């Protein structure tokens, strides 16, 4: 079963996704105010049970960022060997992973536009798998890491490239423009290691494949990401880890191929779905 956050007639809702539309479940589970609350309470199975036998409630709706009130989002940078080679600095594969924070305000939902700001037009795409933590833990062992995952989703970790160069040591500015990225379309409960171990990321821009790789090639696998991050912070239910993007982002073409209004970006991951977004300039 798939679960999503969505809006209809100015009302924020969450529920189950079907081929015919949405089944709003807010009234069925009044103890939870959002899909994030469901995850924090370990309630995805209960939410699925609540959807059984219910009719579609909304055929007209808009997807929202899948966890619009996600408390913490950590992203792993430069996590594929070919991405490391793109930097052409002669460095060996890194010993430790690069990490940076993103905030929920920087993401929009499926089938919604990514917003290019007037200050800079180097909006780029990065297709990734995101994991949602469902069980808290500190200093989690790699062999136990998957026990702490509640669900999977897809991320287009949109970046304003020029703004990641504004300072010497950080990229936060270029990674957090409002609605510059997207996350969704929905959550898929995590039930089997193969969902990650056999996952493949395909990113297309206007139908052209730009990124194509498998998670099994990541320099820092998801198990290691959870182990490492939980060393210095207690992972909590509702936290999101964006696991890394393959080579092929627009900045690495010569000349760069940044996103422009009218472009369509699709990030497809087998077993999860396809996250699709258009591109628009920010309204004046």
């Amino acid at each position: 079963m798939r679960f999503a956050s969505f809006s209809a007639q100015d009302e924020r809702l969450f529920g189950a996704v079907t081929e015919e539309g949405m089944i709003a479940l807010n009234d069925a589970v009044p103890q939870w105010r959002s899909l994030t609350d469901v995850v924090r309470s370990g309630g995805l199975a209960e939410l699925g049970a609540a959807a059984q036998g219910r009719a579609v409630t909304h055929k007209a709706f808009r997807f929202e960022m899948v966890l619009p009130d996600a408390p913490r989002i950590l992203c792993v940078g430069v996590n594929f060997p070919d991405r490391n080679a793109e930097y052409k600095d002669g460095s060996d594969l890194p010993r430790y992973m690069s990490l940076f924070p993103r905030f929920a305000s920087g993401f929009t939902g499926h089938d919604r536009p990514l917003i290019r700001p007037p200050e800079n037009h180097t909006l780029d795409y990065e297709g990734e798998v995101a994991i949602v933590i469902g069980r808290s833990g500190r200093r989690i062992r790699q062999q136990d890491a998957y026990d702490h995952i509640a669900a999977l989703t897809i991320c287009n970790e949109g970046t304003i490239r020029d703004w990641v160069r504004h300072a010497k040591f950080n990229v936060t500015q270029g990674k957090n423009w409002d609605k510059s990225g997207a996350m969704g379309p929905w959550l898929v409960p995590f039930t089997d290691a193969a969902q990650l171990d056999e996952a493949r990321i395909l990113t297309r821009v206007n139908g052209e494949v730009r990124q194509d790789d498998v998670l099994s090639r990541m320099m820092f696998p998801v198990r290691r990401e959870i182990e490492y991050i939980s060393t210095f912070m207690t992972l909590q239910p509702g936290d999101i880890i964006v696991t890394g993007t393959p080579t092929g982002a627009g900045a690495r073409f010569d000349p760069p191929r940044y996103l422009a209004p009218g472009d369509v970006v699709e990030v497809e991951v087998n077993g999860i779905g396809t996250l699709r977004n258009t591109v628009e300039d920010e309204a004046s």
Side-chain angles (χ1 to χ4, degrees), residues 36-246:
T36 305
D37 286 347
V38 177
V39 171
R40 284 172 167 166
S41 300
L44 288 178
E46 184 175 344
L47 192 66
Q52 296 298 324
R54 288 179 176 262
V56 167
T57 59
H58 294 81
K59 294 188 177 182
F61 60 88
R62 298 201 305 174
F63 283 98
E64 300 293 337
M65 190 282 208
V66 67
L67 294 181
D69 53 348
R72 300 185 295 188
I73 303 171
L74 273 178
C75 303
V76 182
V78 194
N79 197 20
F80 283 80
D82 296 340
R83 279 282 286 140
N84 188 65
E86 282 178 338
Y87 284 81
K88 299 179 181 178
D89 57 4
S91 64
D92 294 329
L93 298 183
R95 182 178 178 186
Y96 299 110
M97 66 192 72
S98 299
L99 295 169
F100 55 89
R102 282 204 66 151
F103 313 113
S105 59
F107 294 104
T108 189
H110 173 63
D111 268 339
R112 305 283 290 276
L114 306 178
I115 301 301
R116 189 176 74 163
E119 289 84 357
N120 193 275
H121 286 172
T122 58
L123 175 62
D124 208 351
Y125 54 87
E126 295 186 10
E128 310 188 40
V129 172
I131 64 170
V132 179
I133 298 298
R135 175 182 160 201
S136 64
R138 181 83 190 278
R139 299 184 178 92
I140 300 166
R141 300 181 304 169
Q142 289 193 45
Q143 58 264 43
D144 301 326
Y146 281 4
D147 296 337
H148 292 260
I149 301 174
L152 308 178
T153 191
I154 301 172
C155 180
N156 182 350
E157 210 261 294
T159 303
I160 304 298
R161 291 293 179 197
D162 281 354
W163 277 65
V164 302
R165 305 180 182 96
H166 273 195
K168 186 173 183 179
F169 294 120
N170 69 72
V171 300
T172 302
Q173 302 95 311
K175 295 288 189 176
N176 282 289
W177 288 80
D178 286 355
K179 294 180 171 57
S180 57
M183 196 175 293
W186 40 65
L187 293 184
V188 174
F190 182 68
T191 58
D192 188 333
Q195 289 173 274
L196 285 172
D197 297 343
E198 299 176 9
R200 177 187 180 189
I201 300 170
L202 275 170
T203 304
R204 294 181 291 268
V205 180
N206 301 325
E208 176 190 358
V209 174
R210 298 279 186 88
Q211 296 181 298
D212 183 0
D213 217 327
V214 291
L215 262 64
S216 59
R217 284 192 355 104
M218 292 195 306
M219 295 185 294
F220 302 102
V222 172
R223 291 182 186 274
R224 172 58 178 152
E225 293 175 3
I226 292 173
E227 177 190 52
Y228 181 72
I229 294 169
S230 69
T231 303
F232 63 85
M233 62 184 275
T234 302
L235 287 171
Q236 301 285 359
D239 289 344
I240 298 173
I241 299 174
V242 182
T243 59
T245 195

